Amino acid sequence: MVSDDPIGDAVALIEGGRAPDAAALLQALLDANRGGLLARLTLVRALLAAGDVASALEAARDAVALNPQVAQAVIALGDALLAAGLLPVAIAEFQRALRLDPDSDEARRKLGLAWLEAGEADKALAQFESLDDVAELVARAQAMRTQPRSDAGYVRHLFDQFSADYDQRMRGQLRYRAPEILRELADLVMPGARGLTVLDLGCGTGFAAQAFVDRASAIDGIDLSPAMIAKARARGLYRDLAVADIETALTQGGTDYDLVIAADTLVYLGDLAATFAGVARRLRPGGFFLFTVESGSDDFALGPKRRWRHSEAYLRKLAADSGLDVSGIVACAPRSEANAPVEGLAVALAKMS
């Protein structure tokens, strides 16, 4: 006997932990030309609950193609894109849903949550301010604004967006040469060293691996951005690549390294104590930590481009606290902004025992 409420039946199946059965029921309904927009939206929900993100994305795109001016269909597409890890595109769809229906609290809440995942606290708060029952979300956003580092979601979102033209932008417009600066520093403090096991923190698309490949027997890389990791993998220079936060990754066990490098990476971290301690744990005796920072007068302070600046005195203190010796600190310009060199420091720290 055919139910008089197949969509209600599907919802009950989803809520009862039988999402695949719900998806099958709804797909059969649509195949028989007996379902409309609500059936399609519920199908997206069922597929997401079943963990079939690819099919959910396809179903959501079908729903939008058939109902391009319906905010609920666009919200469903945003949900599927978010589940697929496509955060920038998901944000654009939630924004489109709000343009279609400016009074949609659901679209506004989901846009705020997406901005929160992207580490954009102010943009999230702008969405939450007109909503009820979001005190916990507001508290999360406000805490994000005061943390002593750039939010991991912000960094991931930023570099996922920049990944397509990152190499051209960095080498051309920004005159980026932090990896080459670190290579020159390595030649000074560890001349002739070869066969090194290297860890590249914030590896991006792999510029630093290119600079050190002739010194290394193996190079591993860590970066927050999956899109940047994909570009780095295509270079074929890394032994292993991981999508991870460097503070977290350094606390985990694993390979010890002869050399850890961080080219223009620490500018996204304010308080560097955890990073220095983590590097010290992962360096072999006699190993080196080479990195660039942007120069500042305070221990650490956020600059106008949302990049952290650090003082030489602070770096020296942290090195001593972490059991690392200062082998060299030189002034440098890791990159340019508005055609002007950015004042920075290139630092070499050594683990002597």
Side-chain angles (χ1 to χ4, degrees):
M1 178 178 178
V2 178
S3 170
D4 291 333
D5 185 14
I7 294 176
D9 293 342
V11 170
L13 287 169
I14 295 169
E15 294 175 349
R18 297 172 59 192
D21 293 336
L25 185 158
L26 292 161
Q27 190 60 63
L29 190 70
L30 291 167
D31 290 344
N33 293 317
R34 295 184 53 240
L37 175 60
L38 184 56
R40 293 183 182 279
L41 298 182
T42 311
L43 175 60
V44 174
R45 177 184 169 189
L47 290 167
L48 288 175
D52 189 350
V53 176
S55 296
L57 195 50
E58 181 180 357
R61 285 175 170 146
D62 287 344
V64 171
L66 293 168
N67 304 272
Q69 300 302 312
V70 178
Q72 282 299 125
V74 178
I75 290 171
L77 178 55
D79 288 338
L81 289 164
L82 204 57
L86 301 172
L87 180 58
V89 193
I91 288 171
E93 292 303 321
F94 292 138
Q95 290 173 322
R96 179 156 71 107
L98 264 181
R99 289 195 297 272
L100 290 170
D101 183 3
D103 296 324
S104 172
D105 285 351
E106 181 183 10
R108 194 170 298 282
R109 181 187 180 90
K110 290 191 172 182
L111 178 58
L113 283 167
W115 280 129
L116 206 55
E117 185 173 337
E120 294 281 5
D122 290 340
K123 292 179 181 179
L125 288 168
Q127 300 305 320
F128 295 149
E129 64 183 4
S130 62
L131 300 177
D132 297 325
D133 302 320
V134 290
E136 182 179 345
L137 296 178
V138 168
R140 280 176 55 193
Q142 290 174 336
M144 187 181 293
R145 296 167 76 182
T146 60
Q147 61 188 358
R149 56 164 289 175
S150 299
D151 185 78
Y154 164 74
V155 178
R156 181 175 60 249
H157 177 59
L158 176 70
F159 285 98
D160 277 349
Q161 285 184 303
F162 285 166
S163 62
D165 65 347
Y166 177 84
D167 288 8
Q168 296 85 346
R169 179 193 295 255
M170 293 299 287
R171 292 302 203 190
Q173 179 182 348
L174 299 179
R175 300 171 190 168
Y176 173 67
R177 59 180 309 271
E180 290 74 26
I181 291 170
L182 293 184
R183 173 54 194 264
E184 292 165 6
L185 184 58
D187 291 341
L188 289 173
V189 300
M190 46 192 308
R194 293 287 187 274
L196 302 172
T197 303
V198 180
L199 178 61
D200 184 2
L201 300 178
C203 63
T205 64
F207 284 141
Q210 287 182 315
F212 282 88
V213 65
D214 65 320
R215 289 286 201 107
S217 62
I219 307 177
D220 296 335
I222 299 171
D223 201 279
L224 272 169
S225 166
M228 299 291 271
I229 286 287
K231 295 274 189 180
R233 184 170 287 113
R235 291 193 192 274
L237 300 177
Y238 289 92
R239 175 179 65 181
D240 183 61
L241 287 161
V243 177
D245 184 280
I246 63 173
E247 286 187 337
T248 303
L250 287 169
T251 65
Q252 300 169 354
T255 303
D256 288 335
Y257 295 95
D258 303 304
L259 174 62
V260 177
I261 53 179
D264 207 38
T265 297
L266 303 187
V267 295
Y268 295 103
L269 299 172
D271 185 352
L272 298 178
T275 300
F276 274 44
V279 168
R281 282 193 294 270
R282 301 298 293 276
L283 276 177
R284 295 189 177 109
F288 282 84
F289 179 28
L290 307 183
F291 60 89
T292 61
V293 295
E294 293 185 6
S295 301
S297 55
D298 299 321
D299 284 357
F300 56 89
L302 195 60
K305 296 292 184 179
R306 296 183 67 175
R307 293 162 58 87
W308 295 86
R309 298 168 176 171
H310 300 87
S311 71
E312 180 176 340
Y314 174 71
L315 299 174
R316 288 183 179 276
K317 178 181 183 301
L318 280 189
D321 291 345
S322 304
L324 300 172
D325 292 343
V326 177
S327 295
I329 298 182
V330 295
C332 66
R335 57 185 278 164
S336 296
E337 288 283 354
N339 294 317
V342 173
E343 293 184 4
L345 297 170
V347 181
L349 305 180
K351 181 176 180 178
M352 302 311 296
S353 60

